[in-house]
Amino acid sequence: RRRFVCGVADGGIGIRRSLEKNPDLRKRVPYDWVAVELATRERVSGTQDSTRGIGLYGVAEDMRKGGRRLIIHSGIGWLQISEQIESQTRGTKPFPGTLAYASISA
């Protein structure tokens, strides 16, 4: 079975620190795994701009289709989204920045 696989990573500040820049979200992201899950919701962004926060949300929703999987790892937070697992978060070994892995059946 053919698959398209894409991985992207950076060594930036990570999702939790990015979301903490938004004063409305600071108290809602006590842990990296909470921040990673929250970042996949519509209109959630480290900015207070109401036109931001739709990109990762759109990707996460699209990855809930059959034969697809999305993994996001930021800090010690880990999130997996797929058709079989609506979403699963947990703490894990630290990753400095953010890593995203997408797998789609061709």
Side-chain angles (χ1 to χ4, degrees), residues 23-80:
D24 297 334
L25 298 177
R26 265 187 213 128
K27 293 183 179 179
R28 293 179 60 192
V29 291
Y31 306 104
D32 289 323
W33 56 90
V34 173
V36 172
E37 193 277 327
L38 185 63
T40 64
R41 297 186 190 171
E42 189 173 21
R43 307 257 182 236
V44 171
S45 169
T47 72
Q48 292 183 292
D49 185 341
S50 64
T51 65
R52 303 286 304 266
I54 52 176
L56 186 54
Y57 164 75
V59 169
E61 288 299 302
D62 195 51
M63 297 305 283
R64 296 181 198 279
K65 297 176 184 172
R68 299 176 182 202
R69 182 166 67 160
L70 174 66
I71 295 173
I72 301 171
H73 185 173
S74 183
I76 59 168
W78 182 89
L79 168 73
Q80 175 176 282

